[in-house]
Structures are given as structure tokens and as C-alpha cells.
Amino acid sequence: MNQSDILKIAMAQSAIDCSCRPVDFLSDKNVVVESFPAKAVRRYLKLPHICDIVSYGSNAVVSCKKELMHDLENFVNTTPLFACFETPAIYKLNGILEPFDAKVCFMAEYFLPDIEKIFVTELPCQFETRILHKEDFSELYLPQWSNALCKDRKHLDVLAVGAYDGGRLIGLAGCSADCDTMWQIGIDVLPKYRNRGIGSALTNQLARAAFEEGKVPFYCAAWSNLGSVRTAIRSGFIPGWVEVSAKSNGFIQQR
């Protein structure tokens, strides 16, 4: 698997999630499509989307309710690409969504592995590390490990790497089988042990383990979570795509 393969796999999955074609993400024109359910969608997504906007850097691909297509096409075609994901435009987008009882809910950046950075230099960890399988982390669904493991989707958690200080777990990176070809990595480090490179080392080790299983690891972070973004970059990941998703007001109020 090379860097081009990784990007193709990611775009193929995004195409499933967005009810479009992988080539749509490479167009120099924006693409607006109606959202439909799909069997191979990322397993935490619920389709059809009200409104989901994805960009790999060339354009904006909008997947949405049929009734919103005209207004959203006008929105993305009258707004510079980068600005579609900035606050002033988000206010406009919320105005379009208001009649549908929805607002922007999630705004995130997704990272893909840089093959050379992941494999050429193995990041050291000053503490003992262990590869963990399902039977090893079944008792670790605790608040301090909520980014590495998801209590609500235990069946998707497939692999983890832990760091130990004298036998005590101090850091945990976990892989979730979010779709058939890609596994998402989440990371937690106990506060006392942060800023020592533990999170980056565990993420790097787990990414390599995911590749050994024939899967493409990916990493998601909120734009404002600089600590998480730095972990992604230090561990060998690079920006892949950005995504803005709208949800119903009822869903948002329950967050």
C-alpha cells in the first residue's frame, strides 16, 4: 500500500458516506448530491444526512436532504472553499437549516497516515507498551479511556496499545473498525503523564499494527483541540479531509 492507495481508499469510503463518486472529491467544481442510506457507511453514521459537507482540498462535496440541495448549491458556489468551514459562513448555513429544525453540530479535521513518517521512524516510549486485543481491554471501558474505547460501540473496538508504569495503565490508544477498510484511532493519556510523547508513540505503534491487519488507520480531531492535532502530526499523520455535519436540534440538545 502506498500513499496514493491510502488516499483512494479514504475517498472511496467518503463517497459511500456522501452518496457520491470518489472522483467527485477531485473536481474543481463543487458537487451537491442527495443523501441516501448505504450498507458500507462508517458504522457510527446515520444516513441520510441532513447536511454534510466534505472537502479534500479541491472542492466542497455536499450530501444532503433533497429539499436542501438548491439552497446548499447556492451556498457553496457563492462562498470561497475555505470559508465554507468558517464561522461567518456557518451562521449562513444555520439559517438555511433552520426551517428543517437543524443546525451545524460537528466540525472536524481527519488525518491520514504518511507512510514514510509512520514506518521510517518508530517513536520511542519511555514506558512499557503492550498490544491489547478484545479480551485484554474488556474491563477498560472507563471514563479515563473514553477516547480510546467507545462504551456505546464496544463491538467495533478491535485493537489497542497500552503504556504501563510499573504495571499501571497510564496511556491507551484504541482502534475502532468504523468501516471495512479503515480503522479510527483514539488516544487517552492520564493527566500526570501528558506532554512526554506517550500519546504520539502509542498512536504511531497502533497505526503500524492496523496496517499489518490490512487496514488504513485514520485519526479525527476537532480543530480547536490542538493537543490532539499535535499528537496526530507527531505520530505520522497528515491532514486528509475536513467535514462539517448538521444534526437535528433535538440531537444537539442531548449532547
Side-chain angles (χ1 to χ4, degrees):
M1 190 182 298
N2 58 37
Q3 206 63 44
S4 178
D5 293 330
I6 289 172
L7 186 59
K8 287 177 181 177
I9 289 170
M11 287 185 176
Q13 184 60 49
S14 290
I16 294 171
D17 300 340
C18 292
S19 306
C20 67
R21 304 170 302 163
V23 70
D24 289 336
F25 297 106
L26 298 172
S27 175
D28 59 357
K29 295 182 180 179
N30 297 316
V31 177
V32 180
V33 298
E34 182 178 359
S35 178
F36 292 99
K39 289 183 179 180
V41 70
R42 271 180 283 160
R43 295 179 176 112
Y44 54 85
L45 295 180
K46 292 185 178 180
L47 269 58
H49 292 296
I50 298 172
C51 171
D52 190 72
I53 306 177
V54 173
S55 178
Y56 277 80
S58 298
N59 68 344
V61 173
V62 183
S63 179
C64 63
K65 294 171 66 73
K66 183 177 181 179
E67 298 87 342
L68 281 163
M69 290 178 66
H70 175 76
D71 287 342
L72 290 176
E73 184 173 16
N74 181 65
F75 169 75
V76 293
N77 286 336
T78 58
T79 307
L81 176 59
F82 73 91
C84 288
F85 300 88
E86 291 192 326
T87 307
I90 294 300
Y91 292 147
K92 294 180 182 178
L93 183 55
N94 279 338
I96 296 171
L97 296 168
E98 185 175 3
F100 297 86
D101 192 36
K103 291 186 180 72
V104 170
C105 182
F106 299 117
M107 302 171 64
E109 184 171 9
Y110 289 82
F111 295 80
L112 292 170
D114 182 315
I115 289 288
E116 291 189 3
K117 292 179 180 178
I118 290 288
F119 284 101
V120 170
T121 305
E122 182 177 348
L123 297 180
C125 183
Q126 60 184 295
F127 298 96
E128 174 195 1
T129 63
R130 305 176 196 166
I131 293 284
L132 306 175
H133 300 278
K134 273 186 174 290
E135 62 273 16
D136 303 314
F137 55 72
S138 61
E139 303 298 321
L140 296 180
Y141 287 89
L142 304 169
Q144 62 265 41
W145 312 123
S146 60
N147 289 312
L149 302 172
C150 182
K151 187 176 181 180
D152 294 333
R153 298 191 295 271
K154 290 182 179 181
H155 62 289
L156 297 181
D157 293 330
V158 290
L159 196 63
V161 177
Y164 295 82
D165 183 4
R168 180 196 180 201
L169 183 65
I170 59 168
L172 183 68
C175 259
S176 174
D178 288 347
C179 49
D180 293 340
T181 57
M182 301 175 72
W183 287 358
Q184 182 170 188
I185 293 180
I187 176 71
D188 288 295
V189 177
L190 296 182
K192 178 183 175 181
Y193 292 88
R194 291 172 186 167
N195 300 313
R196 301 194 199 181
I198 298 169
S200 300
L202 293 179
T203 301
N204 176 272
Q205 187 173 342
L206 189 55
R208 285 184 280 110
F211 273 119
E212 289 174 3
E213 296 293 332
K215 307 298 180 181
V216 173
F218 71 104
Y219 188 107
C220 177
W223 293 321
S224 58
N225 192 342
L226 294 182
S228 185
V229 171
R230 288 175 183 138
T231 295
I233 293 171
R234 282 196 297 260
S235 59
F237 285 78
I238 54 177
W241 76 94
V242 291
E243 189 163 357
V244 165
S245 300
K247 296 292 181 182
S248 69
N249 288 326
F251 177 93
I252 293 171
Q253 290 168 6
Q254 293 173 4
R255 299 292 295 175

